């Protein structure tokens, strides 16, 4: 929309596009109004005029305007000052702002969900750089600082280069190459960690990132070992009992 006004706040000219945007019946109807009533925050006009007095023109001045029916619009305003006449254009960016807010709200929601998970969750790009890591993951690798932007091999194994360059198997690299889910159990000190890697694929099927889920399975492994030990013990006792019975015959 195109407009002209003066420093006093009188609307001298608006085109039909701007009148329609602000829900007026016609440009003539809008020109009966005062500029200040269209600002959601009247102090914004003072800031605009202050900038114009200093530089003579302003571009990409973001403000909230109010339509005739009371709806709030996010707009970008450009303006130039000549004598006491302000002229310029207004672009509606309300939908863009709403989309940005929706994305941000979605990111906050997803982050809240991931932070509440008791398993360690980390997202890695093809360079093995961490795009996201939840609090549990940071605790599992023994760090308290933000892991985003760090390399996994650096903060997990204190290495300067990827593990596979030193001859160690890297299941993350394996998933990037194969595109398949990979799972293994690793022992570090006295803990057992089940690590599952899921590929994230783009529309062409290429893996652009992976999600790594780390779960402490130490108790399960110990229970499994204990169960195997008991089974072996029972088998040995059974063999001994059978042996005694046979000797007695």
């Amino acid at each position: 929309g195109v407009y002209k006004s003066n420093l006093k706040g009188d609307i001298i000219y608006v085109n039909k596009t701007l009148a329609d945007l602000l829900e007026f019946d016609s440009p003539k109807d809008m020109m009966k109004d005062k500029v200040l009533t269209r600002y959601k925050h009247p102090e914004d006009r003072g800031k605009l005029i202050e900038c114009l007095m200093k530089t003579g023109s302003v571009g990409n001045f973001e403000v909230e305007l109010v339509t005739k029916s009371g709806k709030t619009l996010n707009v970008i305003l450009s303006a130039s000052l000549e004598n006491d006449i302000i002229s310029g254009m207004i672009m509606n960016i309300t939908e863009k702002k709403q989309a940005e807010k929706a994305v941000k709200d979605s990111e906050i929601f997803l982050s809240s969900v991931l932070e509440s998970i008791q398993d360690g969750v980390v997202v890695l790009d093809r360079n093995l750089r961490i795009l996201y890591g939840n609090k549990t993951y940071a605790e599992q690798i023994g760090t308290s600082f933000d892991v985003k932007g760090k390399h996994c091999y650096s903060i997990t194994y204190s290495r300067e280069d990827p593990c596979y360059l030193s001859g160690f198997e890297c299941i993350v690299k394996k998933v990037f190459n194969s595109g398949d889910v990979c799972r293994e159990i690793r022992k570090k000190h006295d803990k057992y960690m089940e690590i599952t890697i899921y590929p994230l694929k783009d529309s062409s099927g290429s893996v652009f990132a992976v999600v790594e889920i780390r779960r402490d399975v130490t108790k399960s492994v110990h229970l499994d070992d204990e169960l195997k030990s008991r089974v072996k013990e029972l088998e040995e006792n059974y063999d001994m009992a059978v042996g005694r019975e046979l000797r007695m015959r």
Side-chain angles (χ1 to χ4, degrees):
V2 180
Y3 70 92
K4 276 188 180 182
S5 65
N6 58 27
L7 291 175
K8 292 189 299 180
D10 300 317
I11 300 174
I12 299 171
Y13 169 80
V14 293
N15 67 353
K16 188 177 185 303
T17 301
L18 185 55
D20 290 343
L21 177 65
L22 294 173
E23 299 182 329
F24 283 87
D25 295 332
S26 65
K28 187 175 180 180
D29 182 33
M30 184 172 170
M31 288 167 62
K32 297 174 184 176
D33 204 9
K34 288 286 187 179
V35 171
L36 203 59
T37 60
R38 296 302 108 218
Y39 280 81
K40 184 170 184 177
H41 306 288
E43 63 271 18
D44 286 342
R45 186 168 193 267
K47 294 175 184 177
L48 173 65
I49 291 174
E50 185 179 345
C51 291
L52 288 171
M53 297 294 281
K54 288 180 180 178
T55 62
S57 64
V58 173
N60 296 323
F61 190 84
E62 193 170 319
V63 294
E64 289 182 315
L65 299 183
V66 180
T67 68
K68 188 176 181 180
S69 67
K71 295 178 184 176
T72 298
L73 297 180
N74 296 97
V75 304
I76 288 178
L77 182 152
S78 65
S80 61
L81 177 64
E82 186 175 346
N83 297 322
D84 71 335
I85 302 300
I86 302 170
S87 58
M89 296 181 66
I90 290 175
M91 180 185 297
N92 184 14
I93 59 168
T94 305
E95 289 186 1
K96 178 186 175 185
K97 279 289 184 180
Q98 290 172 343
E100 289 174 351
K101 185 179 184 301
V103 170
K104 187 175 181 180
D105 289 345
S106 177
E107 289 175 347
I108 292 172
F109 173 74
L110 180 59
S111 179
S112 298
V113 171
L114 293 176
E115 288 299 331
S116 67
I117 294 175
Q118 297 303 305
D119 297 335
V121 180
V122 60
V123 182
L124 302 165
D125 66 14
R126 296 194 70 90
N127 295 316
L128 306 181
R129 193 180 299 276
I130 297 173
L131 303 176
Y132 171 82
N134 69 354
K135 183 180 178 182
T136 303
Y137 171 75
E139 291 172 348
Q140 287 174 344
I141 62 173
T143 185
S144 58
F145 59 80
D146 186 8
V147 298
K148 185 177 180 179
K150 309 292 183 183
H151 288 100
C152 63
Y153 53 81
S154 173
I155 62 169
T156 306
Y157 302 107
S158 300
R159 294 179 177 276
E160 294 183 0
D161 298 304
C163 304
Y164 62 83
L165 292 180
S166 299
F168 295 97
E169 183 182 22
C170 176
I171 59 172
V172 172
K173 186 173 184 292
K174 185 177 179 181
V175 173
F176 271 117
N177 291 338
S178 69
D180 298 324
V181 177
C182 188
R183 181 179 289 106
E184 69 175 28
I185 293 179
R186 292 180 183 173
K187 183 180 180 183
K188 187 175 183 181
H189 305 307
D190 60 341
K191 288 187 177 293
Y192 290 88
M193 197 71 64
E194 181 186 65
I195 300 175
T196 307
I197 312 291
Y198 298 92
L200 296 178
K201 301 179 182 181
D202 59 22
S203 57
S204 67
S206 299
V207 181
F208 65 90
V210 299
V211 178
E212 178 178 320
I213 310 294
R214 289 174 160 247
R215 176 173 296 174
D216 189 338
V217 293
T218 306
K219 289 183 180 180
S220 298
V221 171
H222 286 166
L223 285 171
D224 188 50
D225 289 343
E226 184 179 346
L227 180 61
K228 288 177 181 178
S229 177
R230 292 296 301 275
V231 169
K232 184 178 180 181
E233 183 181 336
L234 288 170
E235 288 175 344
E236 290 174 350
N237 289 338
Y238 175 78
D239 290 341
M240 290 173 63
V242 170
R244 281 198 301 268
E245 186 176 343
L246 290 173
R247 285 194 298 271
M248 291 172 64
R249 289 180 178 180

